[in-house]
Amino acid sequence: MSKTADPTAEVSGPVVDYWWNYFYSKKDIESGWGTGPCYSPWSNPSDRRAHNGTPFIEYYLQQFAAYEAKNNVRLLDYLDLHTYFAADYLGNSVGFALAGDTGAQQARLNSTRVFWDSTYTDPNYQQPNYSTDPNYTTSCSPPAQALQVIPIMEKWVTNDYPGTKTAITEYNWGGQEAINGALAQADILGIFGSYDLDLGTLWGPPNPATQAPGLMAFEIYRNYDGNNSTFGDRSLASTSANQGTLSVYGALRTADDAVTVVVINKTYGDLTDTLSLANFTLNGSAKVFLYSNANLAGIVAQPNVTVTPPATGSTTSTLSTTFPAQSITLLVLPKM
């Protein structure tokens, strides 16, 4: 009906929001709740069994792919999930919560890894545990699963309905009234860009009166100088020796060929480090913009930083500077 009314409309789905729902239908989950001894989704997955054991999201995509193959009409444009996977701390989720104490803050920042990291697991999210899964167990406590939310979405699309875009239309990591929430939000936006998520929307938008830090996490990418200057629009491969300490995200801004780099210091102390910029020759020095506890009301321009050009026989420039404790630093490097 949507496509008939407006063929240019873009449609997303299925918009489910819990880990089990990615693999089991509502019918299976309710059936599992009533079936012992585990009272879990895999206890009696009659709906999934009826569909050859295909996980729910994959079955969903396959039906749209089959419709398009038959009718030459795409009805689904985005695979759309909600991802409320912020960590628990002392029995409560840090999502939607205030920044909290040091333990809560560290749990918040660590759990952004749920979007990409194959080594990160959370005991709240166990393996789907269908009978054909490689690690299937009859135990009522299956091991924790590395969610890797964005890579798994991309895998499903590739396998079941190529050409579908990916969307995370609800998430919230909390703490937006404090620098800790700003760091988490800036980290998530960097992850979304570097892992090619097509659409990401926070639930709900930061309140400028009470959650300025959460807003500044968006400003660092969309309006860092108050003149609508933006982070680059083409992601560049960026790595950190320790993503849990310093997160690094780079991009090329195609409008002027500038390279932009966001560095997030998640620790409670200043860190001095060197960035290596492969295949890069600078035209001038790097502009620096900082958001930190020193001024939670806005992003502040800093003195320019010198970039050392490549040595003879090398194509890698370097930049050494100090990243203040609990801060977001944006570097803008004009390219030759």
Side-chain angles (χ1 to χ4, degrees):
M1 291 175 65
S2 297
K3 295 287 188 178
T4 299
D6 181 2
T8 68
E10 293 190 320
V11 177
S12 72
V15 203
V16 293
D17 66 359
Y18 189 70
W19 178 238
W20 294 128
N21 297 99
Y22 298 175
F23 303 93
Y24 296 96
S25 69
K26 186 173 186 288
K27 179 179 179 179
D28 282 339
I29 291 172
E30 291 186 347
S31 173
W33 286 341
T35 305
C38 297
Y39 305 98
S40 297
W42 66 84
S43 296
N44 185 30
S46 58
D47 196 23
R48 184 166 169 177
R49 281 198 300 263
H51 297 100
N52 299 314
T54 307
F56 171 69
I57 293 291
E58 294 197 78
Y59 180 79
Y60 178 87
L61 291 171
Q62 289 169 10
Q63 303 319 297
F64 282 102
Y67 183 91
E68 181 175 359
K70 181 179 180 180
N71 299 282
N72 198 32
V73 175
R74 172 177 279 274
L75 297 182
L76 183 75
D77 299 286
Y78 287 87
L79 170 59
D80 183 351
L81 303 179
H82 291 177
T83 57
Y84 290 110
F85 297 133
D88 278 7
Y89 177 69
L90 299 180
N92 296 300
S93 172
V94 299
F96 292 105
L98 297 177
D101 63 19
T102 300
Q105 293 177 26
Q106 291 175 337
R108 176 177 289 108
L109 291 177
N110 190 43
S111 63
T112 62
R113 294 162 53 197
V114 74
F115 289 110
W116 62 273
D117 190 352
S118 63
T119 68
Y120 175 80
T121 60
D122 183 324
N124 289 309
Y125 305 108
Q126 300 163 309
Q127 68 179 25
N129 209 41
Y130 191 68
S131 58
T132 56
D133 288 348
N135 298 314
Y136 173 73
T137 176
T138 57
S139 166
C140 291
S141 299
Q145 171 96 14
L147 274 62
Q148 290 186 276
V149 175
I150 299 176
I152 199 173
M153 293 175 72
E154 293 171 344
K155 178 182 177 182
W156 288 332
V157 165
T158 297
N159 291 345
D160 301 304
Y161 196 10
T164 307
K165 299 175 184 178
T166 52
I168 292 174
T169 54
E170 284 190 27
Y171 69 93
N172 193 301
W173 250 247
Q176 292 193 56
E177 82 294 344
I179 188 66
N180 179 254
L183 300 183
Q185 180 59 62
D187 196 30
I188 289 169
L189 294 175
I191 293 167
F192 285 178
S194 59
Y195 282 86
D196 295 328
L197 186 76
D198 293 295
L199 174 65
T201 52
L202 171 69
W203 183 275
N207 183 331
T210 59
Q211 297 176 319
L215 182 62
M216 290 300 110
F218 286 88
E219 294 277 309
I220 202 78
Y221 290 100
R222 303 305 303 158
N223 184 25
Y224 59 80
D225 61 357
N227 294 314
N228 297 318
S229 296
T230 63
F231 188 70
D233 53 294
R234 183 174 296 173
S235 178
L236 298 176
S238 306
T239 59
S240 170
N242 188 342
Q243 190 79 353
T245 299
L246 277 180
S247 293
V248 180
Y249 302 104
L252 175 68
R253 190 166 61 197
T254 53
D256 60 1
D257 278 342
V259 168
T260 56
V261 182
V262 163
V263 181
I264 305 169
N265 181 356
K266 300 178 179 179
T267 75
Y268 294 86
D270 295 352
L271 294 174
T272 300
D273 213 332
T274 299
L275 298 182
S276 297
L277 307 162
N279 304 309
F280 180 82
T281 302
L282 182 74
N283 180 19
S285 55
K287 295 181 179 179
V288 184
F289 298 85
L290 176 69
Y291 185 66
S292 70
N293 266 322
N295 184 355
L296 290 179
I299 299 163
V300 181
Q302 304 294 302
N304 289 0
V305 173
T306 300
V307 177
T308 303
T312 302
S314 173
T315 60
T316 300
S317 300
T318 57
L319 179 157
S320 295
T321 191
T322 297
F323 303 100
Q326 299 184 81
S327 68
I328 309 167
T329 300
L330 172 68
L331 303 164
V332 182
L333 304 101
K335 193 175 181 183
M336 292 290 285

